[in-house]
Structure formats: structure tokens, C-alpha cells
Amino acid sequence: MTKILLLLANGFEAVEASVFTDVLGWNKWEGDGSTEVVTVGLHNELQCTWNFTVTPEKLLHEVNLEDFDALAIPGGFEEAGFYEDAFSDAFQQVIRHFDDRKKPIATICVASLALGHSGILHNREATTYNHPTSKRLEQLQSYGAIIVNERIVKTEHVITSSNPGTAFEVAFLLLEMLTSVENTAKVKNLMGFH
């Protein structure tokens, strides 16, 4: 079984987390059956950006990172406190652990800023929220990332993306990295993506 750690910061966007649970969950039951997602956070309860509460399956100190094969991180809003968790030492150590072992890391939207903050994007191609009114691309660049203004940027084992609209694509790309093109096509078809 391929285990994916879905790392949730307080203030995360629920839709960006749910694509990972859905796509990888569909794969578990309808695809090749190989993926299992475990939701992990720093707190017993997490407040989503848009005011509902989520209980992660595990707290970070309760899991052994060596048990996991991939890391997925949804983005969130500064106003909802996202960066307090995402930039914390504990969160950053998880990112470096997966990067050191070259295990897949998939992020959506501003979650790539957590990667930048950790230092793993220095001299690597990446993107983040790229709306013309946003300062986030400049912020990512300040961490030494090489900015590529594309919807999704995959560099080695790391996926970054430019907005919430990329969420399903990122989840399917992670599934493809963990299984196969053929299996991912099957799951996409079953989920109505053509």
C-alpha cells in the first residue's frame, strides 16, 4: 500500500485538500487499490479557510514519517492563519524529510510557499498563486525559486501549482507519479474527467 501524508495547516482550503482524498480514495476503491491517504495536522481541530472545522486522523507527533511514500499539502489563506502552521518548524521538518528522500511532494496554490520557506525550492523551478493582483510569485522568488508562470510546474519529485483551479490536475498528477498513466486514466474516466 502506498501511503500519502495529507498535511493540513490551520486555515487550509477545504477544496484543495478534498481533491487528494477523493482522487486517491477513488483509486483505492476503483483504481489499482494501492493508495491510502492519512490526514495529519498540528492540532486536534483545524479551522478551514471558510469556517468549518476538520478533525485530522492523526497529529503530526503521532506518525512516523518513514511510513509514508508521498506528501500532499493544500494551500490556504493568510487571513485564516495558514502560514502560522505552514511556516512552523514542525511543518518545515516534514517537507525537508520528504525532499531529502526524493519522495513525491504535491502542493496546490500557496502551499508552495511552505516549500519555499523550507529551502527546498532554492534553484528549482516552481510556481504559486499567480493572479496579477497577488504578491505571492515575488514571495516565492525571494526564497530562491526559479519562477515558471505555468498552471502546474513539476520539477523532479515536486509539484507546485498556480491556483485552486489546478487542484484536480495536481491530484491526478500525483496519482500518476504513484501508480501509472494507464491507471490514472482509468480513475479519471470513472470520475467523469475526459
Side-chain angles (χ1 to χ4, degrees), residues 22-80:
D22 265 44
V23 167
L24 298 163
W26 271 76
N27 182 64
K28 184 176 182 177
W29 286 358
E30 303 291 339
D32 72 3
S34 66
T35 49
E36 180 184 344
V37 177
V38 180
T39 55
V40 177
L42 302 180
H43 318 282
N44 290 315
E45 284 191 340
L46 299 166
Q47 191 80 27
C48 294
T49 294
W50 311 120
N51 297 327
F52 67 91
T53 305
V54 169
T55 305
E57 293 164 84
K58 298 279 186 184
L59 292 175
L60 185 54
H61 71 267
E62 297 172 335
V63 299
N64 178 1
L65 297 180
E66 295 293 349
D67 293 342
F68 292 90
D69 305 290
L71 174 65
I73 310 174
F77 270 67
E78 185 169 11
E79 294 83 351

Side-chain angles (χ1 to χ4, degrees), residues 110-154:
V110 296
S112 59
L113 293 172
L115 306 188
H117 194 79
S118 76
I120 74 160
L121 293 182
H122 191 80
N123 286 331
R124 268 190 180 146
E125 292 186 345
T127 193
T128 192
Y129 185 59
N130 66 352
H131 192 273
T133 60
S134 174
K135 63 184 179 188
R136 298 304 179 195
L137 280 174
E138 288 173 31
Q139 188 179 354
L140 188 65
Q141 194 169 25
S142 76
Y143 292 121
I146 301 162
I147 300 301
V148 179
N149 205 357
E150 299 284 344
R151 283 176 55 76
I152 296 172
V153 177
K154 181 176 174 284

Side-chain angles (χ1 to χ4, degrees), residues 1-2 4 22-36 171-193:
M1 187 64 75
T2 301
I4 299 92
D22 265 44
V23 167
L24 298 163
W26 271 76
N27 182 64
K28 184 176 182 177
W29 286 358
E30 303 291 339
D32 72 3
S34 66
T35 49
E36 180 184 344
F172 284 125
L173 184 54
L174 178 60
L175 179 60
E176 192 175 292
M177 289 170 73
L178 297 174
T179 63
S180 68
V181 172
E182 296 74 22
N183 179 65
T184 303
K186 177 186 175 185
V187 174
K188 273 185 174 177
N189 181 54
L190 288 167
M191 291 184 74
F193 289 89

